[in-house]
Amino acid sequence: MNAGGEFGEGAAVGVLTTGPLDRILTYLAPAGGCGTGDFVEVPLGPRRVVGVVWGPGEAGFDAARLRPVARVLDTPPMRPELREFLARAAAYTLTPLPLMLRLATRTPALGEPPGSRRVYRRGPAEPARLTEARARVLDALEAWGGAAVTLAELVRESGATASVVKGLVAQGALIEEEAPRDLPYPRLDPDRPGHALSPGQAAAAAALRAAAGRYSTTLLKGVTGSGKTEVYLEAVAECLRRGRQALVLMPEIALTQGFLARVEDRFGARPAEWHSGVTSTERRRLWRMAAEGQAQLVVGARSALFLPFRDLGLVVVDEEHDPSYKQEDGVLYNARDMAVLRASLADAQVILSSATPSLETWANAAAGKYARLDLADRFGPAVLPGMRAIDMRAERLAPGRWISPALVRAVEARLAAGEQSLLFLNRRGYAPVTLCRACGHQIGCDHCDARMVEHRFLKRLVCHQCGETKPVPEACPNCGAAGRLAAVGPGVERLAEEVAALFPQARVRVLSSDLFGTARALRAEIAAIAAGEADIVIGTQLVAKGHNFPLLTLVGVIDADLGLQGSDLRAAERTFQLLRQVAGRAGRAERPGLALLQTFQPDHPVIRAILGGDEEAFWRAEAREREALGMPPYGRLAGVILSSPDLQAVFDLGNRLAREDAALRRIGAQVFGPAPAPIARIRGRHRVRLLVKAPRAAPLQTALAEWTARLRLPANLRLAIDIDPQSFL
Ligand code: ADP
Ligand code: ZN
């Protein structure tokens, strides 16, 4: 496919590899030559690694000592736009370029020719006897929505053995066949008629269509249920009509299912999916089809931003305020911001969709950098829920109870009317604290500076930082007193107990991310709730995200004050977004909704803003406060986390960094710290944080690079820089 290119055999070429060395390495072009952007395999030490030809090699090497490129892979070359994106994203996040390349090559068997492979799909017969292992195989197959999968994938996903699969083939319950790899996706037809839009929706859709074909960013703001998805699907249609590719990013895999069905309705076929739950065969197929322009629409998690689109024309970031767009592990990047960067390089349109935008996006729109479209009303007869505070200072609750009499009455009324209630508490597990009544000791994690959380379903204590678990002890590990350990405070599991006692006749479901082993189980649960198979739903922040529960008319927030306690810069913003989103779950269909917020501080400005519903006033107040403090988005922050098993070593280095801050002072930046990070120890590593605050226009990255360049890190000490930190853990 890539025979030739600008470098003839034996010419020195620069190759960016995914290997550990943070440099462009020089190799000799192979027989037949190669060109910039070609995917290649090169020897690196004893191994062979994947790389991309980045340009001419470094001059001045003795050609006799250079090794040749092993082979050019049979895959479309990386386009200049994607190379530029990786380089700019690396520079912005201060990430070594090889790590960036890794994000763009996370696909199996990249260089192997198409060929064919043996796959399995459902056959006409039912298995003779549905053993547990057989059921798991059929379940796994169904989870992929009828896609043909390989034996390896079936075995991995179902946990059954290959012989179980073969047995099902023998019975005709499965069909084994040879299938060509990398089939193109079914065509989406943008000209099929969509829903008739309301006048407000039609105006927004027209504005988006008018902006198609070139770079621009638009905030699409509308209350939940106003039809934002309906409207941005019109922008997708326009993009497809122009023959370009569209990408829709979603914060949560569980959300994509409903969206896939809507796309099928609108365009007559399903889009391609990209996230951790997709088979490796599918990932390879999508990667190739994206590069060849055959995948018209991709729905995916943040890493879909690194796909090799041939002609990306539109990126939609759905629920753009969602904190999970920030990758907090490995390469620290914010997918929302990187989407804007990639789109600007690809000359593509960006739509940021949310009912409660991030302050960054709100401010960019206010400053005229982004366009803004508002959908004011819910679609059809649905109206926004009423919201009221329940003043907990005036309510009488027995010890160990968290549902106030006022909220109990409201739930009872819904039960009588055959409607659903949602009780929201953003705390997984049974109880956040296990306390010894004899000595006051609280059981903590051995490796982290965190309390262990009791999970009764698991019958264990779990550390939410590192995942370590242990049985709930009989006696206090500190004083040895037996039978004196008590669960303190509520988690969703404990709330479920209280609900069962209060409403014994109600059907109760708990939605918490840790209670579902697979994305599929979670999806099934959400579908069951939407179909009315529950009277009371108890949920963590998982329920806040975009689900549509038509029978739900009451939302009770158990602890509206919970998010306000932290010292986090974004505490107010996050609480506002989360509680508005949760409240938005109520009354999505014909029946009006009500949201009740249990709070001990009904006069807190954030609680009042949530109840009052004057969102613009809230954003303006929040913006003024941040501006006065020089905080983002009016100033810039970078977090530096040093970690090591050796406490002294991290503090020594932290102090040295704080002292030797000339590079930062030159750009008008200040350093705060070192201080123990809010979670001072994770997995046995002590963590110390410095915070750098800079004026908005300052060249922060250059200064940070200079500041940390001269450091010689002792073994086992890690330094991570987080540009625009979202949380301060
Ligand atoms: P949002 O994304 O703002 O939460 P959705 O696009 O999901 O809103 O719309 C909410 C509900 O209203 C969905 O069930 C959707 O199908 C329906 N809906 C919105 N607009 C229309 C329309 N113009 N015609 C028919 N149904 C619509
Ligand atoms: Zn831990």
Side-chain angles (χ1 to χ4, degrees):
M1 193 183 299
N2 314 310
E6 72 258 41
F7 304 110
E9 179 174 359
V13 294
V15 175
L16 174 66
T17 70
T18 53
L21 292 178
D22 184 13
R23 278 190 290 123
I24 308 272
L25 304 171
T26 300
Y27 290 88
L28 299 176
C34 62
T36 302
D38 279 352
F39 282 86
V40 292
E41 229 171 58
V42 292
L44 190 66
R47 298 183 302 136
R48 273 190 175 194
V49 296
V50 170
V52 170
V53 177
W54 216 251
E58 239 178 283
F61 278 116
D62 176 2
R65 305 190 55 184
L66 289 177
R67 299 213 264 175
V69 166
R71 66 184 182 113
V72 178
L73 303 184
D74 180 20
T75 191
M78 185 181 281
R79 308 180 62 80
E81 168 256 316
L82 182 49
R83 276 183 277 133
E84 173 84 14
F85 172 60
L86 295 182
R88 299 265 293 264
Y92 188 86
T93 57
L94 290 171
T95 303
L97 203 43
L99 292 185
M100 268 347 247
L101 181 62
R102 237 182 255 176
L103 291 178
T105 52
R106 255 206 235 141
T107 182
L110 199 62
E112 278 163 35
S116 70
R117 64 206 163 93
R118 179 163 302 172
V119 293
Y120 297 80
R121 59 186 175 81
R122 189 73 164 85
E126 288 304 316
R129 203 165 48 78
L130 194 61
T131 61
E132 202 235 320
R134 286 178 184 165
R136 271 188 280 136
V137 171
L138 297 182
D139 260 17
L141 202 58
E142 195 191 313
W144 277 308
V149 298
T150 61
L151 185 61
E153 285 164 349
L154 258 188
V155 166
R156 194 194 57 222
E157 202 61 20
S158 67
T161 61
S163 65
V164 173
V165 175
K166 296 289 182 182
L168 285 167
V169 173
Q171 300 189 358
L174 291 187
I175 292 176
E176 182 183 72
E177 62 192 5
E178 293 294 317
R181 282 182 193 257
D182 308 336
L183 285 176
Y185 291 92
R187 300 298 292 175
L188 306 184
D189 177 5
D191 293 322
R192 283 167 54 114
H195 287 136
L197 300 181
S198 71
Q201 292 175 338
L208 290 177
R209 271 197 301 271
R214 60 196 176 279
Y215 168 73
S216 69
T217 298
T218 304
L219 163 62
L220 177 60
K221 184 176 179 308
V223 296
T224 44
S226 57
K228 294 183 295 298
T229 311
E230 214 61 43
V231 167
Y232 73 62
L233 280 177
E234 293 312 304
V236 171
E238 180 62 23
C239 172
L240 300 187
R241 267 184 221 115
R242 290 167 182 255
R244 303 182 77 187
Q245 294 165 288
L247 167 64
V248 175
L249 294 179
M250 300 211 151
E252 181 84 49
I253 303 178
L255 283 180
T256 59
Q257 282 321 97
F259 182 74
L260 296 176
R262 283 175 79 169
V263 168
E264 189 167 7
D265 253 20
R266 174 71 179 81
F267 300 123
R270 294 198 152 214
E273 259 183 282
W274 179 272
H275 52 69
S276 56
V278 169
T279 66
S280 53
T281 329
E282 266 305 295
R283 282 227 296 283
R284 177 195 140 103
R285 173 188 180 203
L286 174 49
W287 196 89
R288 289 218 154 220
M289 291 302 129
E292 289 169 15
Q294 300 290 341
Q296 294 164 283
L297 170 59
V298 176
V299 181
R302 56 188 177 219
S303 59
L305 261 185
F306 294 88
L307 282 168
F309 293 100
R310 199 180 67 168
D311 185 11
L312 184 62
L314 170 68
V315 186
V316 177
V317 184
D318 198 25
E319 310 283 352
E320 69 89 32
H321 63 278
D322 198 290
S324 65
Y325 280 121
K326 178 69 188 276
Q327 165 126 338
E328 300 278 11
D329 239 11
V331 180
L332 307 176
Y333 69 95
N334 188 322
R336 184 229 308 144
D337 300 341
M338 292 301 118
V340 172
L341 173 61
R342 176 131 195 216
S344 70
L345 297 171
D347 211 16
Q349 180 176 18
V350 184
I351 300 173
L352 306 177
S353 173
S354 176
T356 52
S358 60
L359 188 64
E360 275 78 1
T361 297
W362 182 89
N364 277 328
K369 235 176 105 184
Y370 295 171
R372 172 170 167 171
L373 296 168
D374 283 81
L375 296 175
D377 309 307
R378 283 194 158 181
F379 179 75
V383 290
L384 271 183
M387 292 208 217
R388 284 210 307 272
I390 294 177
D391 185 345
M392 295 300 277
R393 295 168 304 187
E395 296 280 322
R396 299 239 161 276
L397 268 78
R401 297 279 168 169
W402 287 275
I403 305 176
S404 65
L407 185 52
V408 170
R409 285 192 296 278
V411 173
E412 273 166 354
R414 296 311 178 289
L415 286 172
E419 297 172 357
Q420 286 176 329
S421 304
L422 165 68
L423 299 181
F424 172 75
L425 176 62
N426 204 10
R427 258 189 188 149
R428 292 181 286 133
Y430 185 81
V433 177
T434 302
L435 177 84
C436 174
R437 293 246 184 264
C439 73
H441 176 72
Q442 302 182 358
I443 298 188
C445 176
D446 299 336
H447 318 288
C448 305
D449 176 29
R451 298 190 192 110
M452 302 278 285
V453 177
E454 183 180 353
H455 285 243
R456 284 236 167 136
F457 286 158
L458 297 174
K459 300 196 174 59
R460 292 182 86 80
L461 297 170
V462 179
C463 171
H464 284 184
Q465 295 311 320
C466 73
E468 169 82 342
T469 72
K470 55 186 172 194
V472 185
E474 267 302 304
C476 172
N478 186 50
C479 72
R484 303 296 306 277
L485 290 174
V488 178
V492 283
E493 293 176 12
R494 193 171 203 180
L495 202 60
E497 260 181 28
E498 186 176 351
V499 166
L502 285 167
F503 315 103
Q505 75 289 14
R507 296 166 301 163
V508 181
R509 302 243 183 178
V510 181
L511 268 187
S512 174
S513 56
D514 57 316
L515 298 178
F516 299 92
T518 63
R520 177 160 167 271
L522 174 58
R523 267 186 236 131
E525 188 73 4
I526 288 168
I529 293 169
E533 288 171 28
D535 302 310
I536 301 176
V537 181
I538 298 171
T540 59
Q541 49 94 27
L542 190 65
V543 298
K545 304 188 182 188
H547 309 295
N548 209 343
F549 299 137
L551 295 173
L552 186 76
T553 57
L554 173 69
V555 169
V557 175
I558 298 300
D559 186 353
D561 310 329
L562 193 58
L564 296 173
Q565 291 155 4
S567 55
D568 202 310
L569 166 69
R570 286 171 222 275
E573 181 186 349
R574 284 279 150 76
T575 302
F576 181 78
Q577 285 161 343
L578 188 60
L579 296 189
R580 297 279 307 182
Q581 292 275 343
V582 172
R585 296 304 114 216
R588 303 250 308 174
E590 288 81 33
R591 314 179 199 202
L594 173 66
L596 296 175
L597 277 56
Q598 297 194 146
T599 172
F600 284 94
Q601 19 181 0
D603 295 324
H604 191 290
V606 175
I607 301 289
R608 285 179 48 177
I610 293 167
L611 295 172
D614 187 350
E615 301 192 358
E616 294 303 314
F618 173 78
W619 294 126
R620 277 195 301 271
E622 188 66 14
R624 264 199 307 276
E625 195 158 316
R626 298 253 190 110
E627 192 163 16
L629 297 170
M631 285 299 206
Y634 303 96
R636 303 198 53 198
L637 288 181
V640 178
I641 294 268
L642 305 170
S643 71
S644 161
D646 180 350
L647 181 62
Q648 193 58 46
V650 275
F651 266 102
D652 286 350
L653 187 72
N655 281 320
R656 197 178 131 205
L657 276 170
R659 253 189 341 265
E660 300 173 9
D661 66 344
L664 297 177
R665 264 184 288 127
R666 219 169 297 137
I667 64 160
Q670 290 168 278
V671 190
F672 300 92
I679 300 170
R681 195 163 60 112
I682 295 185
R683 293 190 184 90
R685 299 179 70 86
H686 296 279
R687 305 168 78 243
V688 158
R689 192 188 78 182
L690 296 112
L691 196 63
V692 177
K693 185 174 152 201
R696 186 172 177 163
L700 178 60
Q701 280 86 346
T702 317
L704 287 169
E706 193 187 324
W707 183 46
T708 53
R710 287 172 306 121
L711 292 176
R712 285 268 160 274
L713 294 184
N716 225 339
L717 198 149
R718 274 183 232 144
L719 177 147
I721 297 184
D722 185 0
I723 305 285
D724 309 330
Q726 288 291 306
S727 65
F728 298 104
L729 301 180

